[in-house]
Amino acid sequence: MNTVAEKKHRVIEPDSLIGKRIRKMDAPEKASGRTRYIHDINLSGQLHGKILRSARIHALIKSIDTSAARALPGVHVVITAADIPDQRPIGVAKDHFPLKVGRVRSQRDEIAAVAAESEEIAEAALKLIKVEYEDLPVIGDPEDAIKPGAVLIHPEPHGADGTHMHLKQGMSIAHKGKPDNIAMRFDYSHGDVVKGEAESDVVIEDTFKLHYVTHCCMGVSGMIAEFDASGNVLMYSNTQVPFLHKREFAEYLNIDPARIRIIQPPIGGGFGSKLDIYPFEVICLYLARAAKRPVKMLFTREEEFLASPTRQPVLLTLRSGCKKDGTLTFRQVHTLHDNGAYTSWGATTPFVMMQTFSSLYRVPHCDYHTAAVYTNNPYAGSFRGYGNLQATFAIEQHMDMLAQSIGMDPLEFRMKNAQDAGEVTGQGMSFKSCGFKDCIRTAAQRSDFSHKFGENQANQKAPGTVKRGIGMASMLHVGGGAKIYPSDGCGTILKMDDFANVTLITGASEIGQGSETVLSQLVCEELGLPISAVTVVNNDTAITPWDVGVHASRTTFIAGNSAIGAAKKAKAKILAVAAKKFEIAEDYLDLRGGFVIKADSGEAVIELSKLLRNLHFQDKAELVMTTFYYEPPSVHQDKGFKGDVSAAYAWGTQVVEVEVDTETGIVKLIKVTGAHDVGRVLNRLGIEGQIEGGVVMGQGYAFTEDLMIENGRMKNPNFRDYKLVTAPEIPEMDIAFIESMDGEGPQGAKGVGEAPAICMAAAAANAIANATGVRLFELPFTPEKVYRALHGKTPKLYWKPWKAE
Amino acid sequence: MTELKHYYAPTSLDQAVECLKDGDVTILAGGTDLTPQSQAGRIKFKHTLMNIRHIPQLSGITLEGDEIRIGALATITEIMEHPLVKQHLPVLVEACDHFASDQIRNAGTIGGNICNASPAGDTLIPLLVLDARVELASMPEDKLYRHSMPLSTFFVGPGKTRKSLCELVTGVRIPVPAANHVARFYKLGTRPALDISTISIGVAGCLNGGVLSQVRVAFGAVAPTPVRAEQTEQALEGKPLDAATIEKAAAIARDEVHPIDDVRASAWYRKEMIHNITKRILGHVAQA
């Protein structure tokens, strides 16, 4: 032990945690199997809930007989819509009830639910429920949904005598139905595309088709719900947005939100899937309320496939043009979104898609239209990238095709149209920091893009069955939150104990992305403490301050700024006390290595823990506790979808190298070179993991994953036939970080959570075209699809642009 | 809720086949097919679940005269790692290497792979081109009765074989190949690991001065069962393995198979791949 005298002269060397490789705080628990997921939590007296789903795709429910199920020993509760007269419509468009009333519209539809002593008894009870259906015509193709006379998925109600029931305005779609199959529409424009087209030397138009994939979280969906004796609700839930859901659940239960407490156990994967409330969660609450016992509901893997949201499938026709000198002139886009039977966040992906169409590269004139239409297919939710993978797939292929049509190098073409810092786009996005050109340049240099591109092109017609290809794509995504809700903020409570340990209480949820580690790091950086000094509390709405939720790549940026704000307040408080005690001006003091130090020399003044104890155990005793709420300086979009919606924007370029076996259609992904403008690297280990994971998720979207839906029925709800990428297929990766030091970002950082998945499919398409001269417009690039295209067996896709009137 | 009433784990072959006499028995070995199929409702448990893992006569990989005998309980991992198999039957090792995952290979048995009778069963194609025979045991009266039949006649349809409900597969017998024997296996799927074959191809024969004889060609996932391709074999038998012969054989192979469309591929693509991969494999054999 050092003596007091020695300590006084001790000099603490400057050190920083920023940019270091810091192990995720939850890694040891997860790696050793100790993490208690919702599966591992059991409450005493708990019952097990199961849901009976529809045996039909689209049908009227003529009758439900639950008598045999109710009579089964061990069954406590059986419910159908008839048992819950106070059901309220749920979902983004309030267009369905948790338990379906009178009609099923998709394979996943919930008809009845059981709470029983065991899962086995609950399963057996479901088999005893008899349902009579009357089949209705199925709409399995969104193009059929908009044909005149198409069967309506949500018809307006008619009375027993067949007369139209005119329900009052303002009622939800679940009650009053809809006179057409259009769930949502988006229309955006800036400039004048007619003028843009007139100025163009080259105009191209193509249709692109994006398929269904789903999140495949390793931890399946689940929930435990319990009502206490006073009617207060405790939920163990895997939600990504606890505070918004608290309010929504209260609405569905018709109780005060104050009576709802949500605890989030460690979540086994989110990726956007846990952003909406799904029927099973409300049903679990109904069961617990009826049973007066805790009810646990866990999906099977098959159910996870059948009843989880998907990525938004899109049919898209893009028309774009440029001048001979390589200047982009316009983009005109029409998309048809298959909304499925009900509306979740997938329908709103145009918010993100239109940003990419309007503002990825300098686009003087842009016109964008989406109609999301009801069908009897699964419904799409939010999924990492939120429409951006789909939009980028089309745009970045057109960038290559436009370059080719004017005989310009694709790299030069991109550089010519890429934006610089300070530019404001037609949609009103203001690029305060912008590493776009650095991303393109760096990814191209590190992959030797130009040389390989030319060489591969020359080799297309040479003998040999295996062809090499290289392709590039870039992306633009919000990196400083997104002002979608009335607030985009996050609160922090920071508490220091007598030993200079910190409890960081944050509204931001950890869903495996590493937020608790990064937030701890940012706090420690301010307070001069090691990361081991922090305990994070982030999973209980009764304790943590408000946050809008994990989405839009916002947590590091928003919750990070909030944590820094709280830490700065704590630091100021500490330094003020130290200044007084040691009669040194605050400005000359700092915190470092667990000490209060003299800022100029680094000389230790007092151990921080000792100072905090002094502060606590004195006449005017005080604890160091601070709170901070951060709201980013972004603005809401206006009615025309214009506005600077994020406090910062992230950029990235990925170069993909492939080998195409022309005799089998197998495309081997050889290497991915990425350059991402992340503002600044905070946790190097964490960000590498996030980029690598995102690349693999993008790879699955591009090559292997395909949720096959035929006339509303899922053909492969299992990991045998739904192919995730496995270890041997993961390519070599070379990832570079562009540090544009965003002025508003925490320590200069920007959000990066969604970014790495976005470019992969587009870059892969460009690489296959570079290898073979054949362009693919439809995902995924399975061996058969590639082989067909290479052998001229793929008819040219064309969807005639259409917009809702 | 199953119909399962009894669990039985015999420790001798006699006990096992005695139990099988009434035919109302579900046999459990590795469980890697039985478990998912029963959970998915494709297999219904019979009255008795018989675990055959404690029967010594079903284990082991041995050289018996001019045959290698692989016990029904040999796991895919044991087969892959066994010196006799590595030395004499490298084509079987190759197929095992593409078999599911490590965990499945550690539990799944060759007897199970044979009895599951999947058209895409990974070990079945190499076993067919190696002229394997299936050993069967039963107890028609009070005595143990054992016989064998060629694997090429064993399969009847998906999940269906000529094994009666009273019979147990005890192992497979494979003639030790001659010194000039060549054999190749190729599995085509959408990814290199953890996949069910879109198609699989096995080719074997004796190579003498560029001429292939005793030709065996088998295809997986192109018919209700794994199949021998006799017309393709005839097109190759005794011929010098030159470009013209190879192209002709590959074309015959394409016409000889009648696959279906399913979630993995279309019939058209499967036929194309039978042609292209057969050609590719024969090219490799010609260069061997």
Side-chain angles (χ1 to χ4, degrees), chain A residues 32-239:
Chain A
S32 60
R34 285 179 164 87
T35 303
R36 287 191 195 97
Y37 295 99
I38 197 159
H39 311 64
D40 307 305
I41 298 171
N42 292 297
L43 304 185
S44 67
Q46 154 190 300
L47 300 175
H48 297 268
K50 288 274 175 196
I51 292 172
L52 180 72
R53 297 181 187 280
S54 178
R56 307 297 174 86
I57 303 300
H58 195 197
L60 298 174
I61 301 172
K62 303 310 282 184
S63 70
I64 309 174
D65 179 2
T66 58
S67 53
R70 287 176 204 270
L72 187 71
V75 171
H76 284 240
V77 175
V78 180
I79 53 172
T80 66
D83 301 296
I84 317 285
D86 64 343
Q87 272 205 106
R88 300 218 180 166
I90 69 166
V92 170
K94 302 279 180 256
D95 55 9
H96 60 135
F97 293 101
L99 286 161
K100 303 302 178 264
V101 182
R103 182 187 289 256
V104 287
R105 298 173 178 85
S106 73
Q107 189 181 10
R108 61 168 290 169
D109 275 19
E110 299 79 6
I111 292 179
V114 174
E117 302 275 344
S118 71
E119 280 184 73
E120 289 74 18
I121 296 171
E123 285 282 2
L126 293 186
K127 295 201 176 94
L128 297 173
I129 298 173
K130 292 184 194 73
V131 185
E132 281 183 331
Y133 301 93
E134 182 183 314
D135 282 323
L136 296 166
V138 171
I139 298 186
D141 183 337
E143 289 189 75
D144 291 339
I146 52 175
K147 282 182 182 156
V151 63
L152 294 176
I153 305 297
H154 295 271
E156 294 170 306
H158 288 73
D161 59 353
T163 54
H164 186 266
M165 290 165 72
H166 292 282
L167 300 179
K168 60 174 180 271
Q169 282 296 126
M171 288 193 81
S172 66
I173 293 169
H175 286 110
K176 71 176 169 60
K178 214 160 178 320
D180 55 33
N181 284 327
I182 295 168
M184 273 194 192
R185 57 177 292 182
F186 293 83
D187 302 285
Y188 165 85
S189 76
H190 75 248
D192 176 355
V193 285
V194 176
K195 184 163 170 274
E197 181 153 351
E199 290 168 358
S200 305
D201 294 315
V202 172
V203 172
I204 55 176
E205 182 175 288
D206 292 284
T207 297
F208 301 83
K209 194 172 179 184
L210 293 308
H211 64 312
Y212 281 103
V213 293
T214 185
H215 307 70
C216 298
C217 301
M218 289 296 108
V220 290
S221 302
M223 172 154 136
I224 306 173
E226 180 178 22
F227 287 71
D228 74 8
S230 314
N232 299 312
V233 183
L234 175 63
M235 289 163 50
Y236 292 87
S237 159
N238 284 338
T239 177

Side-chain angles (χ1 to χ4, degrees), chain A residues 392-462:
Chain A
T392 302
F393 181 70
I395 286 177
E396 281 289 356
Q397 290 211 59
H398 260 198
M399 290 302 283
D400 263 23
M401 293 164 77
L402 285 170
Q404 193 180 14
S405 66
I406 56 165
M408 189 181 259
D409 175 75
L411 178 63
E412 189 190 336
F413 182 63
R414 285 181 171 85
M415 288 298 282
K416 188 172 173 67
N417 291 288
Q419 293 105 319
D420 293 302
E423 290 190 46
V424 179
T425 76
Q427 205 183 344
M429 297 153 81
S430 168
F431 301 138
K432 282 152 285 234
S433 67
C434 177
F436 190 11
K437 285 181 176 166
D438 283 339
C439 288
I440 298 175
R441 209 180 284 122
T442 305
Q445 277 168 4
R446 290 173 79 119
S447 61
D448 196 14
F449 177 85
S450 294
H451 171 237
K452 288 179 183 168
F453 187 87
E455 201 175 72
N456 295 333
Q457 213 165 26
N459 192 41
Q460 279 173 12
K461 301 270 178 277

Side-chain angles (χ1 to χ4, degrees), chain B residues 56-279:
Chain B
Q57 293 97 319
L58 304 186
S59 322
I61 298 172
T62 47
L63 187 61
E64 294 180 5
D66 57 358
E67 284 183 332
I68 292 170
R69 189 230 179 216
I70 302 177
L73 284 178
T75 65
I76 305 306
T77 302
E78 279 166 19
I79 293 167
M80 272 176 83
E81 292 174 353
H82 200 280
L84 275 174
V85 181
K86 281 189 189 168
Q87 187 190 341
H88 296 292
L89 313 171
V91 71
L92 187 55
V93 176
E94 170 75 15
C96 291
D97 193 35
H98 288 95
F99 193 109
S101 63
D102 279 342
Q103 293 91 331
I104 302 276
R105 291 201 284 258
N106 287 339
T109 65
I110 194 158
N113 203 227
I114 292 170
C115 292
N116 190 48
S118 162
D122 284 320
T123 66
L124 309 182
I125 297 305
L127 290 176
L128 279 174
V129 298
L130 291 169
D131 284 339
R133 295 179 71 83
V134 188
E135 289 180 351
L136 294 152
S138 58
M139 195 171 272
E141 305 291 333
D142 286 336
K143 253 184 82 184
L144 180 68
Y145 169 68
R146 305 181 73 157
H147 71 114
S148 71
M149 68 170 80
L151 186 70
S152 54
T153 63
F154 185 66
F155 302 112
V156 178
K160 293 199 176 71
T161 67
R162 285 177 58 199
K163 181 180 85 68
S164 80
L165 290 176
C166 307
E167 286 179 308
L168 184 68
V169 167
T170 57
V172 280
R173 292 182 169 274
I174 302 159
V176 174
N180 61 348
H181 186 262
V182 291
R184 295 284 187 280
F185 172 78
Y186 189 89
K187 174 174 173 174
L188 183 88
T190 48
R191 62 184 178 198
L194 266 173
D195 210 355
I196 311 270
S197 296
T198 300
I199 59 143
S200 60
I201 299 184
V203 173
C206 291
L207 197 58
N208 256 327
V211 175
L212 205 58
S213 61
Q214 297 171 53
V215 182
R216 301 286 181 270
V217 177
F219 297 132
V222 294
T225 68
V227 287
R228 281 268 300 274
E230 284 167 19
Q231 292 169 36
T232 311
E233 290 174 358
Q234 279 162 24
L236 292 164
E237 185 65 42
K239 306 256 168 59
L241 213 47
D242 55 25
T245 306
I246 290 174
E247 180 50 54
K248 195 176 164 205
I252 289 173
R254 170 166 44 199
D255 294 339
E256 193 174 6
V257 295
H258 302 285
I260 56 164
D261 296 334
D262 65 15
V263 290
R264 282 178 269 285
S266 70
W268 175 80
Y269 179 70
R270 286 191 158 103
K271 285 169 87 81
E272 287 287 296
M273 290 306 106
I274 289 289
H275 173 270
N276 294 356
I277 305 291
T278 300
K279 189 172 157 186

Side-chain angles (χ1 to χ4, degrees), chain A residues 663-664 721 723-724 784 787, chain B residues 191 195 264 266 269 272:
Chain A
E663 283 185 335
T664 59
D721 296 326
K723 316 259 185 211
L724 286 176
E784 176 162 357
Y787 185 84
Chain B
R191 62 184 178 198
D195 210 355
R264 282 178 269 285
S266 70
Y269 179 70
E272 287 287 296

